[in-house]
Amino acid sequence: MARVDFDEADEALLEGALAYVENDIRKAERLLSSLDVDEMEPVFGAQVNLAVAQLVEKKDPAEALNRLERVMLDAPGTLLEEAALRLGVMLAEHHGDTDKADRYARLYFDRYYRSVYAGNFRARFSSVYVARPAGSEEKTIATIADAVTRIPPDQQIDIYLSIGRRALVAGNLKLCGMAADEAMKIGNVSKSARQRAQLYQAASTLTERDTTETLASLKAINRDELHVADQKLLDAAFGVLGEIRKPLMTDRARDPEDLMSETALDTSVLDRANSVLDAVRNDLKELDQ
């Protein structure tokens, strides 16, 4: 730029690119947004659109989505399209267009599940679907199943377990249990994955199942097969179960004729259980950061 005189359009492009790599967001947005991408070679224009979409995604998600769709149309099968799909899922979800987010996710898994960036996308994908509103768990699981249907079973298992863990930390116990169930339905589940699924299944129903049965399920889990964060969760599950069982044992010792249901828990017991779960959720969130 110092040695060559460029025409006005090229100068704006170069100045905008320089501002972009120097993280001068306002200048980069002003200059790159002013360019007429319709006059550019399509793949080159897609690069500009992708950059602008990233620059305006927070203040104008609708414009960012429009730019990303142009990238998908102009540069199919490239890293540009892959990046546009990854960002598009998050933007569409935050913009409230869940149908579009679902479509982008399916396209990504269909085309790019082998990508070196796919692991990052799986984590983003999990966070999106765990954040779906309570009461939509069945639809959420069906949408996830549709999106991942063509990818290898081991990747499907990883996704379901990631969603299960995130859902448990977020307090959506129903989605946690359903995701763990889906993981167990897939063939050739590894030993460690099976232990994780069993942990999430048990933890998601601590206050609902017979405590003796739940205790047996937790004891059957091989602690050594779990990640350190899941070991913490296992410890918390035992702690919650112990709190639940205390009043039951006390009442039975006082009155042998009392055959109170294991699930008929008083409010104080549930409060203690929720307090322990809240504590472990905070710990797990710190480990995720």
Side-chain angles (χ1 to χ4, degrees):
M1 292 175 66
R3 294 194 301 268
V4 179
D5 290 329
F6 295 96
D7 61 36
E8 186 176 346
D10 288 340
E11 186 172 341
L13 173 63
L14 291 167
E15 289 281 1
L18 181 60
Y20 182 84
V21 298
E22 290 181 339
N23 206 33
D24 187 342
I25 303 301
R26 291 184 178 179
K27 183 177 180 180
E29 180 193 336
R30 175 173 57 81
L31 292 170
L32 295 180
S33 296
S34 69
L35 299 174
D36 186 359
V37 292
D38 291 333
E39 296 298 318
M40 298 178 181
E41 186 275 329
V43 174
F44 189 72
Q47 295 183 51
V48 175
N49 274 326
L50 180 60
V52 173
Q54 293 170 326
L55 293 168
V56 304
E57 62 174 290
K58 291 184 178 179
K59 75 172 189 178
D60 193 350
E63 172 62 15
L65 280 170
N66 179 60
R67 294 268 184 172
L68 292 176
E69 290 200 338
R70 288 288 305 275
V71 175
M72 298 172 200
L73 289 171
D74 291 338
T78 68
L79 286 173
L80 297 170
E81 183 195 33
E82 182 187 355
L85 287 169
R86 287 202 310 271
L87 180 57
V89 170
M90 306 300 293
L91 278 180
E93 184 73 16
H94 292 160
H95 194 52
D97 195 339
T98 56
D99 289 342
K100 184 173 287 186
D102 295 342
R103 177 163 57 85
Y104 289 161
R106 173 64 183 266
L107 285 172
Y108 186 90
F109 282 124
D110 283 354
R111 299 179 185 180
Y112 298 107
Y113 72 85
R114 295 187 182 90
S115 169
V116 295
Y117 302 107
N120 174 270
F121 177 73
R122 289 195 294 270
R124 292 188 177 195
F125 176 84
S126 298
S127 68
V128 163
Y129 288 90
V130 168
R132 293 279 170 95
S136 64
E137 290 84 3
E138 287 84 0
K139 182 179 179 181
T140 298
I141 288 293
T143 301
I144 294 167
D146 179 69
V148 305
T149 186
R150 297 185 182 181
I151 69 175
D154 60 324
Q155 291 188 23
Q156 294 185 40
I157 293 169
D158 286 344
I159 287 171
Y160 282 121
L161 291 179
S162 176
I163 288 170
R165 183 176 181 277
R166 286 175 179 268
L168 184 61
V169 172
N172 190 337
L173 302 186
K174 184 174 181 180
L175 182 61
C176 169
M178 293 180 69
D181 290 343
E182 291 299 317
M184 293 289 278
K185 293 177 184 178
I186 300 172
N188 299 319
V189 180
S190 69
K191 185 176 180 181
S192 60
R194 185 175 298 277
Q195 299 302 298
R196 288 182 64 193
Q198 291 173 347
L199 171 60
Y200 302 157
Q201 286 174 326
S204 69
T205 58
L206 279 173
T207 61
E208 299 174 4
R209 296 168 60 193
D210 178 272
T211 57
T212 302
E213 179 184 347
T214 303
L215 181 61
S217 297
L218 291 174
K219 286 183 175 180
I221 295 170
N222 185 347
R223 180 185 179 86
D224 294 336
E225 293 284 344
L226 299 176
H227 183 274
V228 62
D230 284 329
Q231 291 178 359
K232 183 183 289 287
L233 184 56
L234 178 62
D235 292 340
F238 276 120
V240 171
L241 192 62
E243 290 297 309
I244 292 172
R245 288 170 61 86
K246 281 181 181 178
L248 296 175
M249 297 301 102
T250 300
D251 287 343
R252 287 176 178 175
R254 185 178 66 246
D255 185 0
E257 299 300 318
D258 184 1
L259 298 178
M260 181 183 65
S261 169
E262 297 268 3
T263 58
L265 305 174
D266 62 41
T267 303
S268 63
V269 177
L270 290 177
D271 287 344
R272 289 197 300 272
N274 286 327
S275 295
V276 179
L277 282 175
D278 286 340
V280 76
R281 286 171 193 148
N282 291 334
D283 290 341
L284 289 171
K285 287 177 181 177
E286 291 179 3
L287 288 169
D288 277 340
Q289 294 174 351

